[in-house]
Amino acid sequence: DVTVAEDCFADSYINDGRRGPQRISTKLKIMGVLYIIGQGSTIQMACDLCCCGYATLNIFFHKWTEWLVETQYAKHVWLPKTVEQIEHVTGVYEKLGFPGAICSIDGVHVHWNRCPCKQWAAHKGKEGYPTRVYNVAVDHSRRILHVTDHSHPGARSDKTLARSDDLIVGMHEGELYSQVEFEVFRDDGTTKTIKGLYALVDGGYPVKSPGAPGSKIAIAGSS
């Protein structure tokens, strides 16, 4: 009997009066996309976890990530601009012994699982496997402030990445935070005013000291 069959398979085959498979929950598809991004897994592995088809998740992955970048990125990833925003970030660093620091910068490597053999030499760095790398700046609360517009081959050095990073170039050339002042203590206990904020980096980046003798972890705007 058709009526009995429809009653038995209502959850699976009837959706709001329309015939066909029940719609996969958007929450499940988002979970699958986040798993792919966070774990670097294949789409098929995520499909097994969120119980949806390969084609469904493959299409949703590209559409949702594109929407995320176009509509949400600028709302959450932005550099401090107002006096209040700058003081909020630098105030935390000052309490930790780094007055004048505005952010921390480092390269973030993303595993390129299907890197062509001819590209291995350019993409295989210290990680031991091919990657694409982005320069990422964060504050001490780990909020992302800035990401380079495009990725680079993983074997490139930090100095090479810095040349194409708008944030680092802007701070070096005095276009960003060059007029912001902060104070440091001299050896005799008196204070000295320095103009130009800096970023905390590791030893692979080009260094321009903000005035602290022997400093090898800072990139300054100007002094």
Side-chain angles (χ1 to χ4, degrees), residues 1-213:
D1 184 83
V2 176
T3 304
V4 174
E6 289 180 350
D7 291 339
C8 291
F9 296 96
D11 292 340
S12 299
Y13 292 95
I14 297 180
N15 183 18
D16 296 331
R18 294 172 294 175
R19 293 184 179 278
Q22 188 177 23
R23 184 175 181 269
I24 300 297
S25 170
T26 302
K27 292 181 180 180
L28 284 177
K29 289 186 284 188
I30 292 176
M31 181 184 72
V33 173
L34 295 177
Y35 183 82
I36 293 170
I37 297 174
Q39 300 297 323
S41 72
T42 62
I43 293 179
Q44 187 59 57
M45 290 177 62
C47 288
D48 297 337
L49 291 175
C50 62
C51 303
C52 65
Y54 181 91
T56 299
L57 189 58
N58 185 39
I59 294 173
F60 182 80
F61 177 89
H62 295 286
K63 287 187 176 180
W64 189 75
T65 51
E66 182 179 354
W67 170 85
L68 197 68
V69 171
E70 291 179 353
T71 65
Q72 303 300 310
Y73 180 85
K75 295 180 182 179
H76 302 280
V77 181
W78 44 269
L79 289 168
K81 295 180 180 179
T82 67
V83 175
E84 293 76 13
Q85 293 170 351
I86 293 173
E87 289 180 348
H88 175 74
V89 175
T90 57
V92 176
Y93 281 110
E94 184 174 358
K95 292 178 180 178
L96 298 172
F98 296 100
I102 187 63
C103 63
S104 303
I105 302 177
D106 200 4
V108 175
H109 291 259
V110 180
H111 185 195
W112 189 5
N113 192 37
R114 294 188 178 183
C115 177
C117 293
K118 294 182 179 180
Q119 299 290 334
W120 267 61
H123 291 82
K124 182 180 177 182
K126 64 181 185 300
E127 288 72 25
Y129 50 82
T131 64
R132 299 291 296 182
V133 60
Y134 296 85
N135 247 12
V136 179
V138 300
D139 61 18
H140 199 69
S141 300
R142 294 183 292 185
R143 187 181 76 82
I144 298 176
L145 306 177
H146 168 79
V147 182
T148 47
D149 293 334
H150 59 277
S151 62
H152 297 265
R156 287 188 179 176
S157 67
D158 292 336
K159 290 184 178 180
T160 302
L161 298 180
R163 294 192 187 102
S164 60
D165 189 326
D166 293 339
L167 174 58
I168 295 178
V169 172
M171 295 181 73
H172 264 290
E173 296 180 354
E175 297 174 358
L176 293 173
Y177 307 120
S178 60
Q179 300 303 312
V180 182
E181 297 181 346
F182 63 97
E183 292 185 345
V184 295
F185 284 101
R186 294 189 176 95
D187 292 338
D188 59 4
T190 59
T191 59
K192 174 184 178 182
T193 300
I194 297 177
K195 183 182 293 185
L197 302 181
Y198 61 92
L200 301 182
V201 298
D202 59 29
Y205 286 83
V207 174
K208 186 177 180 182
S209 173

